[in-house]
Structures are given as C-alpha cells and as structure tokens.
Amino acid sequence: MSGIVFALSVFIVGFLAHLVYSHLVVVESKEPVLIRFMVAASVAYAVAYPFAAPILVRYIESPVGAWVDFASGLSAMGFFVLGYIEFWSLIERSFSLRILVDAAEVSGGLTREEISSSYSVGRGLDWMMKKRIDDLVGSRMLVKEHGDVRLTAGARVIARGFAAVQRAFALE
Amino acid sequence: MISGVWYGGVAFLAFVGIAALRTRMLRGRTAPVPHLLAAWLAIGCVVFAVVVSFEPRHTFTLATTNLFVYLFLGEVLLFIYAASLGSISVRILVTMRRFEPSPEALDRSLAIHSPTAFLDVRLDSLMAWGMLRQRDGHYEITPRGRVWAHGVSSLKRLLAVGRGG
C-alpha cells in the first residue's frame, strides 16, 4: 500500500511539472515531451522507492512484503501514467473531437467537403494525414530511403504485434 | 504475500476473455470501446468487493493492491485494443507491413486508409452519439455536441496542447 501512495505522489509531481512546462515552453512536437516527463516520473518512482518505503511504512499499513508492495506501486504508476498519456492524446489529437470543435465554431453547419477542408482551423484532412506520417517518421517508425518510405525494423515488430491483436479480437 | 496481486491477475485474465468474446459475438453491431471500458471498470469493482469479502486480514490494503494491478493490466489491454481499432497510424503501419517490400507500400496503405474514409466513419459515429445532426446536406452540432466541444476546448487550453488534430 505504501508503494501505491508513493506512486501517486510521484505521479502528481510529474503531472504538475509537465503541465507547467507545457504552459511555459512552446515546442513543435509535444508528444515526445509528454513521454519524457512520464518516463522520468516512472524511473523516479523505481529509484526512490527503496528510500521512501522505510519511511512510509511507519504511517501506512504494508502487509504484502517489499517486492509485492513495489510491484503494486509500479502498477499504480503505470495506471496513472498510461491513463494520463491516453487522456492527453485524446484531447490533443482525437479526430472526432477536432471535428466537433470545428463544427461548434461555425453557425449553420458544414458540408462534408467543408469539414474536410476546414479541419483543425482550416488546415484540412491532408494536413492531418501528413502530420500522422511525420509523427511516424519522427518516432522512427518510418524511414525515408532513396525517395521511398519504409518501415523500420522496430516498426515491423510493432506492426506484427498489432496485426496479431487485430486477428485475436476480430478487428481487421 | 501472493494475495497482494493474485486476485488482480485472475481478474485481468477474465477481462481478456470477456473482451475476446464480446468482440467476436457482437462484431460490428455496437461500439466496442465504450462497452469494454464499462466492463473494465465493472470488473474492477468486483475485484475490490471479492477481496473485501474473502480476505479477513489487511482487507483494505489487499483490495487496493489487487485493484491497481488489475486496473493497470486492463488499461494496457484497452490501450492496445483502442489503438488497433481506431488509430490511423497503427492501421497504416499494419497495412504497410503487408505490402512490403513493395516501394509503394506507403502509397498503397494510404489509398486504403484515406482520410476521407476515416472522416465518413467518424461523422457516422458523431451522429450516432447525438453530437451532430444532418440537415440539407450540412452537419450541424447538437446542444449535446456543443457541451462536449466546449469541454474539449477548455481541456485543450488547460493542458496547453494547442489546436491539435
């Protein structure tokens, strides 16, 4: 239980630090910054746990043993971090929510073509697709070679994994 | 000691089974992610209740550790599931792998997963959820959709994510 309390504390610090940084520093690509903050928070939990746990057990019941306490704290950390990354990504890049926000900014409604061309304050669907491709290149999933765009070895492994999930859950 | 994570692990396996069954049995009939989200939270409540019922000592502590083990594992599954189902980037990667080593793998993938095809799917979903309505060839936002749009805009400002999209 002390692991969970400690994980919550570390996550709150990491979350607030990321929030303040996001407001103070303007960066072109925001997602890698988020990932770095959350990875740093997770590493901070793992590194600081051995020092924090002996202090916390004086105040919090911890009957499960150190390793299980650490693992449950790590699970809590993963739960908070992954939840925040998913929520942030949903707000930042959700296709459906962006359409909704665009539609709310005009009176009288939009045709399908107008939605397509005015997507994300006039940048259009082609920009959206270009952004997705650029993000894949930026995250080293795709690489440009001699004018062609190819999957990297890591991307092939990830693609194989997602294909297996799609087959398992009949999502193809 | 193992009772600290055992219930959570078993509950996760049950969630995987339910997710697989649900997607195969109700394929294409209902929106899958909200249902799985509801199942994930409901099983979390069951895990907590079961531990409270069966563990006479350190009840609250064990219920909490098991709950977080289950929530994390379930969240990973939901993340992978939702990305497999709805992420444009994931769809492009999976399709590209199928077309490689063709040098046109990306172009062929983009022909299948075109932005207009995604737009049609999302417009249908937004209308099914009562966020948009269609009138004289125009998509209009409903009062419900306006509430959501306002909430999303506020969150975009709070999280400083920019316009996004």
Side-chain angles (χ1 to χ4, degrees), chain A residues 14-142:
Chain A
F15 163 71
L16 290 175
H18 176 250
L19 200 60
V20 170
Y21 184 89
S22 299
H23 280 276
L24 295 180
V25 182
V26 178
V27 290
E28 180 67 27
S29 192
K30 294 171 187 288
E31 203 159 22
V33 174
L34 167 73
I35 302 294
R36 275 184 217 124
F37 267 91
M38 291 299 110
V39 169
S42 304
V43 171
Y45 165 79
V47 171
Y49 176 84
F51 306 100
I55 301 165
L56 285 169
V57 291
R58 290 182 209 159
Y59 309 100
I60 303 164
E61 182 190 44
S62 196
V64 292
W67 280 106
V68 174
D69 187 58
F70 174 75
S72 59
L74 203 58
S75 294
M77 194 72 199
F79 169 69
F80 295 131
V81 162
L82 195 56
Y84 180 52
I85 290 172
E86 285 185 67
F87 183 72
W88 187 95
S89 298
L90 185 77
I91 298 301
E92 199 269 341
R93 67 192 310 177
S94 166
F95 195 22
S96 304
L97 294 179
R98 188 65 248 180
I99 293 169
L100 211 55
V101 171
D102 289 342
E105 289 172 356
V106 296
S107 56
L110 293 163
T111 64
R112 188 177 168 283
E113 288 68 32
E114 286 168 341
I115 291 173
S116 176
S117 61
S118 65
Y119 181 81
S120 193
V121 203
R123 292 183 290 190
L125 284 186
D126 290 338
W127 166 85
M128 183 275 293
M129 203 51 127
K130 184 180 177 304
K131 185 187 176 208
R132 297 295 189 276
I133 302 298
D134 289 345
D135 286 347
L136 287 171
V137 173
S139 57
R140 298 192 188 95
M141 294 287 119
L142 300 180

Side-chain angles (χ1 to χ4, degrees), chain B:
Chain B
M1 192 166 104
I2 199 70
S3 58
V5 294
W6 188 82
Y7 296 95
V10 171
F12 171 67
L13 293 178
F15 179 55
V16 173
I18 287 169
L21 271 178
R22 188 249 164 267
T23 49
R24 286 183 179 278
M25 289 174 69
L26 301 176
R27 188 176 182 180
R29 279 167 48 192
T30 49
V33 175
H35 285 195
L36 285 185
L37 207 58
W40 175 57
L41 295 173
I43 294 173
C45 294
V46 171
V47 171
F48 198 87
V50 165
V51 179
V52 166
S53 307
F54 285 93
E55 291 292 336
R57 294 177 65 234
H58 312 299
T59 306
F60 180 72
T61 302
L62 291 175
T64 308
T65 55
N66 276 287
L67 179 65
F68 273 103
V69 168
Y70 164 74
L71 286 177
F72 172 57
L73 294 174
E75 192 178 34
V76 171
L77 179 70
L78 274 174
F79 179 79
I80 294 169
Y81 184 95
S84 302
L85 182 70
S87 166
I88 300 173
S89 306
V90 168
R91 292 262 167 185
I92 290 170
L93 288 181
V94 171
T95 312
M96 269 188 83
R97 183 179 150 265
R98 226 169 53 215
F99 288 134
E100 278 200 340
S102 165
E104 290 95 34
L106 177 62
D107 292 333
R108 292 170 72 184
S109 302
L110 293 179
I112 293 172
H113 306 298
S114 69
T116 48
F118 269 95
L119 177 64
D120 289 338
V121 171
R122 300 305 168 98
L123 287 175
D124 287 346
S125 298
L126 287 169
M127 286 203 295
W129 297 334
M131 307 277 192
L132 290 180
R133 62 176 166 234
Q134 206 171 8
R135 188 180 291 171
D136 302 328
H138 285 68
Y139 291 91
E140 292 177 350
I141 193 161
T142 62
R144 185 180 183 205
R146 199 169 289 283
V147 170
W148 273 81
H150 178 72
V152 171
S153 297
S154 302
L155 283 168
K156 277 179 181 286
R157 280 193 299 278
L158 176 72
L159 297 175
V161 297
R163 288 175 294 184

